[in-house]
Short mmCIF file of all heavy atoms in Angstrom, two decimals:
data_model
loop_
_atom_site.label_atom_id
_atom_site.label_comp_id
_atom_site.label_asym_id
_atom_site.label_seq_id
_atom_site.Cartn_x
_atom_site.Cartn_y
_atom_site.Cartn_z
N PHE Q 133 107.08 115.72 119.12
CA PHE Q 133 107.59 114.77 118.14
C PHE Q 133 108.94 115.21 117.66
O PHE Q 133 109.20 116.42 117.46
CB PHE Q 133 106.63 114.68 116.95
CG PHE Q 133 107.18 113.79 115.82
CD1 PHE Q 133 107.08 112.40 115.92
CD2 PHE Q 133 107.80 114.35 114.73
CE1 PHE Q 133 107.58 111.61 114.87
CE2 PHE Q 133 108.32 113.57 113.69
CZ PHE Q 133 108.20 112.18 113.77
N ALA Q 134 109.85 114.25 117.47
CA ALA Q 134 111.15 114.52 116.87
C ALA Q 134 111.56 113.35 115.98
O ALA Q 134 111.33 112.21 116.33
CB ALA Q 134 112.21 114.76 117.94
N ALA Q 135 112.09 113.69 114.82
CA ALA Q 135 112.63 112.71 113.91
C ALA Q 135 114.14 112.86 113.93
O ALA Q 135 114.67 113.98 113.88
CB ALA Q 135 112.12 112.88 112.48
N ILE Q 136 114.89 111.73 113.97
CA ILE Q 136 116.30 111.77 114.06
C ILE Q 136 116.95 111.54 112.70
O ILE Q 136 116.57 110.59 111.98
CB ILE Q 136 116.83 110.67 115.01
CG1 ILE Q 136 116.07 110.70 116.35
CG2 ILE Q 136 118.34 110.87 115.28
CD1 ILE Q 136 116.02 112.01 117.04
N ALA Q 137 117.86 112.43 112.30
CA ALA Q 137 118.54 112.30 111.01
C ALA Q 137 120.04 112.52 111.26
O ALA Q 137 120.47 112.84 112.38
CB ALA Q 137 117.99 113.31 110.01
N THR Q 138 120.83 112.35 110.18
CA THR Q 138 122.25 112.49 110.25
C THR Q 138 122.70 113.54 109.23
O THR Q 138 122.34 113.47 108.07
CB THR Q 138 122.98 111.18 109.96
OG1 THR Q 138 122.51 110.15 110.84
CG2 THR Q 138 124.50 111.30 110.11
N ASP Q 139 123.50 114.50 109.70
CA ASP Q 139 124.10 115.47 108.79
C ASP Q 139 125.20 114.80 107.98
O ASP Q 139 126.21 114.34 108.55
CB ASP Q 139 124.67 116.65 109.61
CG ASP Q 139 125.17 117.80 108.72
OD1 ASP Q 139 125.76 117.51 107.62
OD2 ASP Q 139 125.00 118.96 109.10
N LEU Q 140 125.02 114.70 106.67
CA LEU Q 140 125.95 113.98 105.82
C LEU Q 140 127.34 114.57 105.80
O LEU Q 140 128.35 113.84 105.69
CB LEU Q 140 125.40 113.86 104.40
CG LEU Q 140 126.12 112.96 103.41
CD1 LEU Q 140 126.17 111.53 103.94
CD2 LEU Q 140 125.45 113.02 102.03
N LYS Q 141 127.44 115.87 105.96
CA LYS Q 141 128.75 116.53 105.88
C LYS Q 141 129.52 116.39 107.18
O LYS Q 141 130.74 116.11 107.17
CB LYS Q 141 128.55 118.04 105.58
CG LYS Q 141 129.84 118.79 105.44
CD LYS Q 141 129.62 120.24 105.07
CE LYS Q 141 130.90 121.03 104.90
NZ LYS Q 141 130.68 122.44 104.53
N THR Q 142 128.86 116.55 108.32
CA THR Q 142 129.58 116.58 109.60
C THR Q 142 129.42 115.28 110.39
O THR Q 142 130.18 115.04 111.32
CB THR Q 142 129.06 117.72 110.48
OG1 THR Q 142 127.68 117.48 110.82
CG2 THR Q 142 129.17 119.07 109.75
N GLY Q 143 128.41 114.45 110.06
CA GLY Q 143 128.15 113.26 110.83
C GLY Q 143 127.41 113.54 112.12
O GLY Q 143 127.17 112.64 112.94
N ARG Q 144 126.95 114.78 112.29
CA ARG Q 144 126.23 115.14 113.53
C ARG Q 144 124.81 114.60 113.52
O ARG Q 144 124.17 114.45 112.48
CB ARG Q 144 126.15 116.65 113.65
CG ARG Q 144 127.46 117.33 114.01
CD ARG Q 144 127.28 118.83 114.12
NE ARG Q 144 126.23 119.16 115.09
CZ ARG Q 144 125.64 120.34 115.17
NH1 ARG Q 144 125.96 121.30 114.29
NH2 ARG Q 144 124.71 120.59 116.09
N GLU Q 145 124.37 114.28 114.71
CA GLU Q 145 122.97 113.83 114.93
C GLU Q 145 122.08 115.07 114.92
O GLU Q 145 122.35 116.06 115.60
CB GLU Q 145 122.90 113.15 116.27
CG GLU Q 145 121.52 112.66 116.69
CD GLU Q 145 121.55 111.94 118.03
OE1 GLU Q 145 122.65 111.47 118.44
OE2 GLU Q 145 120.50 111.84 118.66
N MET Q 146 120.97 115.02 114.12
CA MET Q 146 120.08 116.11 114.01
C MET Q 146 118.70 115.72 114.56
O MET Q 146 118.16 114.67 114.17
CB MET Q 146 119.96 116.55 112.55
CG MET Q 146 121.26 116.87 111.86
SD MET Q 146 122.14 118.24 112.58
CE MET Q 146 120.99 119.58 112.26
N TRP Q 147 118.14 116.52 115.42
CA TRP Q 147 116.80 116.29 115.96
C TRP Q 147 115.86 117.26 115.24
O TRP Q 147 115.95 118.48 115.43
CB TRP Q 147 116.75 116.55 117.44
CG TRP Q 147 117.58 115.59 118.26
CD1 TRP Q 147 118.27 114.52 117.81
CD2 TRP Q 147 117.76 115.64 119.67
NE1 TRP Q 147 118.91 113.87 118.83
CE2 TRP Q 147 118.61 114.53 120.00
CE3 TRP Q 147 117.33 116.46 120.70
CZ2 TRP Q 147 119.01 114.26 121.30
CZ3 TRP Q 147 117.71 116.19 122.00
CH2 TRP Q 147 118.55 115.08 122.30
N LEU Q 148 114.99 116.74 114.42
CA LEU Q 148 114.07 117.58 113.61
C LEU Q 148 112.76 117.68 114.39
O LEU Q 148 111.98 116.75 114.47
CB LEU Q 148 113.89 116.93 112.24
CG LEU Q 148 115.17 116.56 111.49
CD1 LEU Q 148 114.88 115.97 110.16
CD2 LEU Q 148 116.13 117.76 111.39
N MET Q 149 112.54 118.88 114.93
CA MET Q 149 111.40 119.09 115.83
C MET Q 149 110.49 120.25 115.41
O MET Q 149 109.55 120.58 116.12
CB MET Q 149 111.88 119.34 117.27
CG MET Q 149 112.73 118.17 117.82
SD MET Q 149 113.38 118.51 119.50
CE MET Q 149 114.59 119.75 119.16
N LYS Q 150 110.83 120.87 114.28
CA LYS Q 150 110.05 122.00 113.79
C LYS Q 150 109.84 121.87 112.30
O LYS Q 150 110.51 121.09 111.62
CB LYS Q 150 110.77 123.32 114.12
CG LYS Q 150 110.93 123.63 115.59
CD LYS Q 150 111.64 124.95 115.79
CE LYS Q 150 111.78 125.27 117.27
NZ LYS Q 150 112.46 126.58 117.50
N ASN Q 151 108.91 122.71 111.80
CA ASN Q 151 108.60 122.77 110.35
C ASN Q 151 107.94 121.51 109.84
O ASN Q 151 107.36 120.74 110.62
CB ASN Q 151 109.87 123.15 109.59
CG ASN Q 151 110.52 124.44 110.09
OD1 ASN Q 151 109.81 125.40 110.40
ND2 ASN Q 151 111.81 124.50 110.15
N SER Q 152 108.04 121.23 108.56
CA SER Q 152 107.26 120.17 107.92
C SER Q 152 107.55 118.81 108.51
O SER Q 152 108.71 118.35 108.54
CB SER Q 152 107.57 120.16 106.42
OG SER Q 152 107.05 119.01 105.83
N ILE Q 153 106.51 118.11 108.95
CA ILE Q 153 106.68 116.77 109.48
C ILE Q 153 107.00 115.76 108.40
O ILE Q 153 107.76 114.81 108.59
CB ILE Q 153 105.44 116.34 110.31
CG1 ILE Q 153 105.74 115.07 111.13
CG2 ILE Q 153 104.23 116.11 109.40
CD1 ILE Q 153 104.73 114.76 112.18
N VAL Q 154 106.51 116.00 107.17
CA VAL Q 154 106.82 115.14 106.07
C VAL Q 154 108.28 115.20 105.72
O VAL Q 154 108.95 114.19 105.52
CB VAL Q 154 105.95 115.47 104.84
CG1 VAL Q 154 106.49 114.84 103.55
CG2 VAL Q 154 104.51 115.05 105.04
N GLU Q 155 108.83 116.40 105.66
CA GLU Q 155 110.26 116.55 105.34
C GLU Q 155 111.12 115.94 106.44
O GLU Q 155 112.17 115.35 106.17
CB GLU Q 155 110.61 118.04 105.18
CG GLU Q 155 109.92 118.69 104.00
CD GLU Q 155 110.35 118.11 102.67
OE1 GLU Q 155 111.58 117.78 102.50
OE2 GLU Q 155 109.50 117.95 101.75
N ALA Q 156 110.71 116.06 107.69
CA ALA Q 156 111.46 115.50 108.80
C ALA Q 156 111.49 114.00 108.71
O ALA Q 156 112.53 113.35 108.91
CB ALA Q 156 110.83 115.94 110.14
N VAL Q 157 110.32 113.39 108.44
CA VAL Q 157 110.28 111.93 108.31
C VAL Q 157 111.12 111.47 107.12
O VAL Q 157 111.86 110.47 107.23
CB VAL Q 157 108.83 111.48 108.14
CG1 VAL Q 157 108.74 110.00 107.74
CG2 VAL Q 157 108.05 111.69 109.44
N TRP Q 158 111.01 112.15 106.01
CA TRP Q 158 111.78 111.79 104.81
C TRP Q 158 113.26 111.83 105.09
O TRP Q 158 114.00 110.90 104.75
CB TRP Q 158 111.41 112.77 103.67
CG TRP Q 158 111.81 112.29 102.33
CD1 TRP Q 158 112.97 111.62 101.99
CD2 TRP Q 158 111.04 112.43 101.12
NE1 TRP Q 158 112.97 111.35 100.64
CE2 TRP Q 158 111.82 111.84 100.08
CE3 TRP Q 158 109.88 113.01 100.80
CZ2 TRP Q 158 111.44 111.84 98.75
CZ3 TRP Q 158 109.44 112.99 99.50
CH2 TRP Q 158 110.20 112.41 98.47
N ALA Q 159 113.73 112.89 105.76
CA ALA Q 159 115.15 113.00 106.07
C ALA Q 159 115.60 111.87 106.96
O ALA Q 159 116.64 111.24 106.77
CB ALA Q 159 115.44 114.35 106.72
N SER Q 160 114.79 111.53 107.96
CA SER Q 160 115.14 110.50 108.92
C SER Q 160 115.22 109.11 108.23
O SER Q 160 115.95 108.23 108.68
CB SER Q 160 114.11 110.42 110.04
OG SER Q 160 114.46 109.48 111.03
N MET Q 161 114.45 108.92 107.13
CA MET Q 161 114.37 107.64 106.45
C MET Q 161 115.34 107.53 105.27
O MET Q 161 115.33 106.47 104.58
CB MET Q 161 112.98 107.39 105.94
CG MET Q 161 111.96 107.21 107.01
SD MET Q 161 110.31 106.78 106.35
CE MET Q 161 110.62 105.16 105.75
N SER Q 162 116.16 108.53 104.98
CA SER Q 162 116.98 108.53 103.78
C SER Q 162 118.16 107.58 103.87
O SER Q 162 119.35 108.04 103.99
CB SER Q 162 117.42 109.96 103.48
OG SER Q 162 116.31 110.75 103.10
N MET Q 163 117.89 106.33 103.88
CA MET Q 163 118.93 105.31 103.99
C MET Q 163 119.85 105.33 102.78
O MET Q 163 119.38 105.22 101.65
CB MET Q 163 118.31 103.91 104.13
CG MET Q 163 119.34 102.80 104.31
SD MET Q 163 118.52 101.18 104.31
CE MET Q 163 117.55 101.33 105.84
N PRO Q 164 121.16 105.51 102.98
CA PRO Q 164 122.06 105.57 101.85
C PRO Q 164 121.96 104.31 100.96
O PRO Q 164 121.90 103.19 101.47
CB PRO Q 164 123.44 105.61 102.54
CG PRO Q 164 123.17 106.26 103.85
CD PRO Q 164 121.83 105.71 104.26
N GLY Q 165 121.91 104.54 99.66
CA GLY Q 165 121.74 103.46 98.71
C GLY Q 165 120.32 103.23 98.28
O GLY Q 165 120.07 102.72 97.18
N LEU Q 166 119.38 103.59 99.10
CA LEU Q 166 117.93 103.44 98.76
C LEU Q 166 117.30 104.79 98.47
O LEU Q 166 116.56 104.94 97.53
CB LEU Q 166 117.18 102.72 99.91
CG LEU Q 166 117.57 101.26 100.17
CD1 LEU Q 166 116.74 100.74 101.33
CD2 LEU Q 166 117.36 100.41 98.93
N PHE Q 167 117.58 105.76 99.33
CA PHE Q 167 117.02 107.10 99.17
C PHE Q 167 118.16 108.08 98.87
O PHE Q 167 119.27 107.91 99.38
CB PHE Q 167 116.35 107.62 100.46
CG PHE Q 167 115.08 106.95 100.82
CD1 PHE Q 167 115.06 105.74 101.46
CD2 PHE Q 167 113.87 107.57 100.52
CE1 PHE Q 167 113.85 105.13 101.82
CE2 PHE Q 167 112.68 106.96 100.89
CZ PHE Q 167 112.66 105.76 101.51
N PRO Q 168 117.89 109.11 98.08
CA PRO Q 168 118.90 110.20 97.99
C PRO Q 168 118.89 111.00 99.26
O PRO Q 168 117.91 111.04 100.01
CB PRO Q 168 118.33 111.02 96.79
CG PRO Q 168 116.86 110.78 96.81
CD PRO Q 168 116.70 109.35 97.25
N ALA Q 169 120.02 111.63 99.58
CA ALA Q 169 120.03 112.58 100.72
C ALA Q 169 119.05 113.67 100.44
O ALA Q 169 118.73 114.03 99.29
CB ALA Q 169 121.44 113.15 100.84
N ILE Q 170 118.49 114.27 101.51
CA ILE Q 170 117.50 115.31 101.34
C ILE Q 170 118.03 116.60 101.98
O ILE Q 170 118.68 116.58 103.03
CB ILE Q 170 116.16 114.91 102.01
CG1 ILE Q 170 115.11 116.00 101.78
CG2 ILE Q 170 116.31 114.59 103.49
CD1 ILE Q 170 113.71 115.61 102.24
N LYS Q 171 117.77 117.73 101.33
CA LYS Q 171 118.24 119.01 101.85
C LYS Q 171 117.19 119.56 102.79
O LYS Q 171 116.03 119.77 102.42
CB LYS Q 171 118.50 119.98 100.73
CG LYS Q 171 119.39 121.15 101.17
CD LYS Q 171 119.92 121.94 99.97
CE LYS Q 171 121.00 122.93 100.40
NZ LYS Q 171 121.54 123.69 99.25
N TYR Q 172 117.56 119.81 104.01
CA TYR Q 172 116.66 120.24 105.05
C TYR Q 172 117.37 121.37 105.85
O TYR Q 172 118.41 121.14 106.44
CB TYR Q 172 116.30 119.08 106.01
CG TYR Q 172 115.28 119.34 107.05
CD1 TYR Q 172 113.95 118.99 106.85
CD2 TYR Q 172 115.63 119.93 108.28
CE1 TYR Q 172 112.99 119.23 107.84
CE2 TYR Q 172 114.66 120.13 109.30
CZ TYR Q 172 113.35 119.78 109.04
OH TYR Q 172 112.41 120.01 110.02
N ASN Q 173 116.82 122.57 105.79
CA ASN Q 173 117.43 123.71 106.46
C ASN Q 173 118.91 123.88 106.04
O ASN Q 173 119.81 124.08 106.84
CB ASN Q 173 117.32 123.65 107.98
CG ASN Q 173 115.93 123.85 108.48
OD1 ASN Q 173 115.06 124.39 107.75
ND2 ASN Q 173 115.64 123.44 109.69
N ASN Q 174 119.15 123.74 104.72
CA ASN Q 174 120.45 123.96 104.10
C ASN Q 174 121.51 122.92 104.54
O ASN Q 174 122.70 123.17 104.44
CB ASN Q 174 120.99 125.37 104.44
CG ASN Q 174 120.14 126.44 103.81
OD1 ASN Q 174 119.76 126.34 102.64
ND2 ASN Q 174 119.83 127.49 104.55
N ARG Q 175 121.04 121.78 105.00
CA ARG Q 175 121.92 120.68 105.32
C ARG Q 175 121.49 119.43 104.54
O ARG Q 175 120.29 119.17 104.42
CB ARG Q 175 121.92 120.32 106.82
CG ARG Q 175 122.38 121.46 107.72
CD ARG Q 175 122.20 121.06 109.18
NE ARG Q 175 122.53 122.10 110.11
CZ ARG Q 175 123.75 122.27 110.65
NH1 ARG Q 175 124.70 121.42 110.34
NH2 ARG Q 175 123.98 123.24 111.48
N TRP Q 176 122.42 118.67 104.05
CA TRP Q 176 122.09 117.40 103.39
C TRP Q 176 122.01 116.33 104.47
O TRP Q 176 123.00 116.05 105.18
CB TRP Q 176 123.15 117.05 102.37
CG TRP Q 176 123.06 117.89 101.13
CD1 TRP Q 176 123.88 118.92 100.78
CD2 TRP Q 176 122.07 117.80 100.12
NE1 TRP Q 176 123.46 119.48 99.60
CE2 TRP Q 176 122.36 118.78 99.15
CE3 TRP Q 176 120.96 116.96 99.91
CZ2 TRP Q 176 121.60 118.98 98.02
CZ3 TRP Q 176 120.20 117.14 98.76
CH2 TRP Q 176 120.51 118.15 97.84
N LEU Q 177 120.83 115.75 104.64
CA LEU Q 177 120.60 114.79 105.68
C LEU Q 177 120.33 113.38 105.17
O LEU Q 177 119.75 113.19 104.08
CB LEU Q 177 119.37 115.24 106.55
CG LEU Q 177 119.45 116.66 107.18
CD1 LEU Q 177 118.24 116.88 108.05
CD2 LEU Q 177 120.76 116.83 107.98
N VAL Q 178 120.72 112.40 105.94
CA VAL Q 178 120.48 110.99 105.63
C VAL Q 178 119.93 110.32 106.91
O VAL Q 178 119.75 110.90 107.94
CB VAL Q 178 121.74 110.29 105.12
CG1 VAL Q 178 122.16 110.83 103.75
CG2 VAL Q 178 122.87 110.39 106.09
#
Side-chain angles (χ1 to χ4, degrees):
F133 174 81
I136 312 304
T138 304
D139 186 323
L140 188 58
K141 182 178 180 179
T142 65
R144 288 180 56 197
E145 178 179 340
M146 306 298 296
W147 295 357
L148 310 181
M149 301 179 289
K150 297 181 179 180
N151 303 321
S152 169
I153 193 167
V154 165
E155 294 297 321
V157 169
W158 196 322
S160 185
M161 294 185 69
S162 292
M163 182 184 295
L166 294 179
F167 288 83
I170 183 172
K171 198 166 190 178
Y172 186 97
N173 289 343
N174 295 317
R175 297 174 184 269
W176 287 104
L177 303 184
V178 293

